[in-house]
Amino acid sequence: MIRHTVLFKFKPGFLPADKQAWIDGLNNMTGKIPGMLSLSHGADVLSTERSFDYAIVADFETVEDIAVYNTHPLHEPLKAYSFPNSQQILSVDFHLGDTSAATTETTQS
């Protein structure tokens, strides 16, 4: 199983109505995209210096299922909200249950 995680740092001008339409679109994808096993998302609650504004976490059966999601008709319209209204978008995709040691040590988490 693959976990797909995306973090968004929004631009100050992201209109509340547009943000709500984006969130509604995220909610509409649940259970409707082949290979997507789960989807959760939400706004940051700590607002620390290193916090991002919003996170999406989705689980997929395979890497190929993520490719289906990335071009799915329910996902495509959301890009029109997220890309122009974000200062930065980060993502990571990893195998769940992969507990192999990291190849690089870090001093901060």
Side-chain angles (χ1 to χ4, degrees), residues 77-96:
L78 302 184
K79 295 174 184 178
Y81 292 106
S82 56
F83 288 143
N85 290 298
S86 296
Q87 294 175 12
Q88 189 174 9
I89 302 172
L90 301 175
S91 68
V92 64
D93 300 276
F94 60 94
H95 286 276
L96 285 177

Side-chain angles (χ1 to χ4, degrees), residues 1-4 35-37 58-62 65-66 69:
M1 185 178 330
I2 309 293
R3 176 149 293 161
H4 173 70
M36 180 187 279
L37 304 174
D59 292 335
F60 295 88
E61 195 65 44
T62 67
D65 292 330
I66 297 172
Y69 157 77

Side-chain angles (χ1 to χ4, degrees), residues 29-85:
M29 289 193 296
T30 302
K32 297 179 182 172
I33 298 182
M36 180 187 279
L37 304 174
S38 67
L39 173 67
S40 58
H41 57 91
D44 177 65
V45 296
L46 296 181
S47 298
T48 66
E49 184 178 306
R50 69 181 193 166
S51 293
F52 273 64
D53 298 312
Y54 209 89
I56 297 172
V57 178
D59 292 335
F60 295 88
E61 195 65 44
T62 67
V63 171
E64 292 79 16
D65 292 330
I66 297 172
V68 169
Y69 157 77
N70 278 331
T71 59
H72 194 278
L74 291 175
H75 183 245
E76 282 296 320
L78 302 184
K79 295 174 184 178
Y81 292 106
S82 56
F83 288 143
N85 290 298

